[in-house]
Amino acid sequence: MKKIGIISLFGFHNYGCLLQCFALQTILKSLGHTPTHIVFTDEKIKNKPLFKRVRTFLGKIRNSFKTKELKKFADNFIEYRNVKTEEATSIAKDYDAFIVGSDQIWRPRFVTFGIQNAFCSFAAPESKPCISYAASFGSEEWEYSEQQTKECAQLAKQFKAISVREASAVQLCKEHLGVEATHILDPTLLLTSNDYKKIIPQKLLSTKAKTNKKKVFAFFLDQTKEKETLVDTFLQENDYTQLSSYLVNSEKLVLRSFRKYSLYPAVETWLSNFANADFVITDSFHACVFSIIFRKPFICYANVARGNARIPSLLSMLGIAPTHLISSLSELQPASTYALPSDIDETLTSLRQFSINWLSSNLQD
């Protein structure tokens, strides 16, 4: 079995990011491997003006407080290693193979440690085998410069195997990188709701209903007035009550139900909302994913700025009606419209097995 280095987007401010890391490591461990996420750090504050260095330092203190519960989850459940970007080539000898993915690891604007490193450029001198697992470009459009395309195409051709998260990415790989790719599941979907319930404290899982009304969990990455109106309208028209609502943006996370807290709730708490809710309203890809995992009907409000290709691809792959994705309040339909398909269990079981088999076979010598 292999020591595997994983290259992905990694941070303590994003639930989906951490949970896809957790899920992929869980599967790799079940296959007998020893995985570690490589977290590239790129500190360039020494040459900044003093006021910018102070602002950066204060921002780190603020963010470390706000995200301390998410870091606690990472420390408890994810093996990771911090590596300075300029020292990337020194780690290739420490691993038998590398996996790139998942999440938007192939979206240049999101990769702060060099898009070439997201194609294992650091491992090339050691000729270590590399594969991608459900890597995402985050967009249907090609966002690479001409030079980036040339360099990354050369690196991609050295991969042992490539898999991607969105159907559109299969074509992007073929057209721009000159490689074939397989469309497979996001890592979070490789685990079941029971797998996730094992890490949720029992006290967070509701056993008795405090109201006869069904409960809605609302989670938004980017707050807008229309999204708030969407939740309010849905509650009124369908006689639901609000379980909790997380409103996230680059500055703050606010819990309407718990305003006294200014920090991100624990990953386990976030997960428990999917278990306890009867319906989910969101603009987040991974909130859609966990709605599906916990078999909860959901509405996703289109979030074009963060990459919209992934939602239609997810719905199509799982046979879920495209009406779950809306872009305006006028598209809102009765709650019963958003039920998941009756064969979702069979579909997910089949795709899970296919995706895990793909991963397992491509890690063999």
Side-chain angles (χ1 to χ4, degrees):
M1 294 296 107
K2 295 181 169 64
K3 287 182 65 177
I4 297 174
I6 304 172
I7 313 302
S8 183
L9 299 182
F10 191 96
F12 305 127
H13 60 284
N14 188 300
Y15 295 102
C17 168
L18 289 178
L19 285 164
Q20 61 92 9
C21 293
F22 165 75
L24 183 55
Q25 286 201 7
T26 299
I27 294 298
L28 288 170
K29 289 175 183 177
S30 75
L31 295 173
H33 301 295
T34 304
T36 301
H37 269 81
I38 310 301
V39 183
F40 288 119
T41 59
D42 191 19
E43 299 293 336
K44 295 181 179 179
I45 66 172
K46 291 182 179 180
N47 297 325
K48 291 182 179 180
L50 179 60
F51 80 93
K52 287 190 176 181
R53 279 184 278 167
V54 171
R55 186 173 64 183
T56 299
F57 176 72
L58 293 176
K60 284 187 175 182
I61 293 177
R62 181 196 65 183
N63 289 334
S64 65
F65 170 75
K66 288 171 59 177
T67 61
K68 64 180 182 179
E69 290 296 329
L70 276 70
K71 185 179 186 301
K72 186 184 299 183
F73 176 84
D75 291 342
N76 289 338
F77 292 105
I78 302 171
E79 296 293 331
Y80 66 95
R81 171 187 180 183
N82 292 317
V83 177
K84 292 182 179 179
T85 303
E86 61 267 26
E87 299 174 359
T89 55
S90 68
I91 68 168
K93 65 182 184 300
D94 298 336
Y95 300 93
D96 301 310
F98 290 92
I99 296 176
V100 175
S102 175
D103 227 338
Q104 299 183 58
I105 187 62
W106 282 350
R107 196 170 198 182
R109 70 173 76 174
F110 287 175
V111 180
T112 60
F113 49 85
I115 191 63
Q116 293 81 0
N117 280 325
F119 283 84
C120 290
S121 60
F122 63 90
E126 295 284 337
S127 299
K128 293 298 176 73
C130 300
I131 68 171
S132 71
Y133 184 85
S136 172
F137 295 103
S139 172
E140 293 178 330
E141 304 298 323
W142 189 248
E143 298 180 346
Y144 288 55
S145 69
E146 185 176 342
Q147 185 62 29
Q148 287 173 331
T149 300
K150 180 180 178 180
E151 293 176 3
C152 292
Q154 291 176 339
L155 291 165
K157 290 182 176 68
Q158 298 174 32
F159 273 49
K160 181 179 179 181
I162 290 176
S163 67
V164 289
R165 194 176 67 182
E166 287 84 41
S168 60
V170 174
Q171 191 62 26
L172 290 177
C173 283
K174 187 173 184 178
E175 288 184 7
H176 300 283
L177 301 179
V179 294
E180 298 295 325
T182 302
H183 183 203
I184 57 178
L185 287 177
D186 182 88
T188 51
L189 284 161
L190 299 180
L191 302 183
T192 68
S193 59
N194 287 332
D195 293 321
Y196 291 109
K197 284 180 180 178
K198 290 176 184 177
I199 63 174
I200 303 174
Q202 189 60 38
K203 64 182 180 181
L204 294 179
L205 298 172
S206 63
T207 56
K208 292 183 179 179
K210 296 180 180 179
T211 173
N212 290 327
K213 289 186 175 182
K214 292 184 177 181
K215 301 178 292 295
V216 170
F217 174 44
F219 177 76
F220 294 117
L221 294 172
D222 299 294
Q223 180 182 0
T224 66
K225 186 65 178 176
E226 186 163 29
K227 290 172 188 176
E228 291 187 9
T229 303
L230 170 64
V231 174
D232 293 337
T233 302
F234 181 89
L235 294 174
Q236 292 171 9
E237 292 184 354
N238 296 280
D239 198 28
Y240 277 61
T241 188
Q242 193 159 312
L243 173 64
S244 60
S245 180
Y246 297 4
L247 308 174
V248 185
N249 58 35
S250 60
E251 295 299 322
K252 61 185 178 180
L253 181 148
V254 178
L255 283 74
R256 285 179 173 175
S257 306
F258 307 97
R259 287 188 181 275
K260 64 179 180 179
Y261 296 107
S262 59
L263 49 80
Y264 282 60
V267 172
E268 298 88 338
T269 301
W270 187 78
L271 279 174
S272 72
N273 283 286
F274 294 95
N276 297 333
D278 298 295
F279 200 99
V280 177
I281 303 177
T282 187
D283 64 351
S284 156
F285 170 79
H286 277 110
C288 294
V289 167
F290 280 97
S291 300
I292 295 165
I293 290 171
F294 284 91
R295 303 298 190 267
K296 302 303 167 77
F298 68 94
I299 296 170
C300 182
Y301 195 96
N303 196 334
V304 179
R306 291 180 182 264
N308 221 28
R310 49 204 180 144
I311 307 295
S313 179
L314 173 70
L315 300 181
S316 175
M317 190 179 198
L318 297 177
I320 299 173
T323 49
H324 283 72
L325 178 65
I326 68 173
S327 55
S328 70
L329 188 59
S330 63
E331 296 175 43
L332 180 63
Q333 299 182 36
S336 59
T337 307
Y338 302 102
L340 296 178
S342 59
D343 62 349
I344 188 69
D345 289 343
E346 291 82 359
T347 301
L348 261 179
T349 297
S350 175
L351 288 171
R352 276 195 189 109
Q353 195 59 57
F354 174 80
S355 299
I356 293 172
N357 286 346
W358 184 95
L359 179 62
S360 177
S361 64
N362 282 296
L363 286 173
Q364 295 176 5
D365 293 326

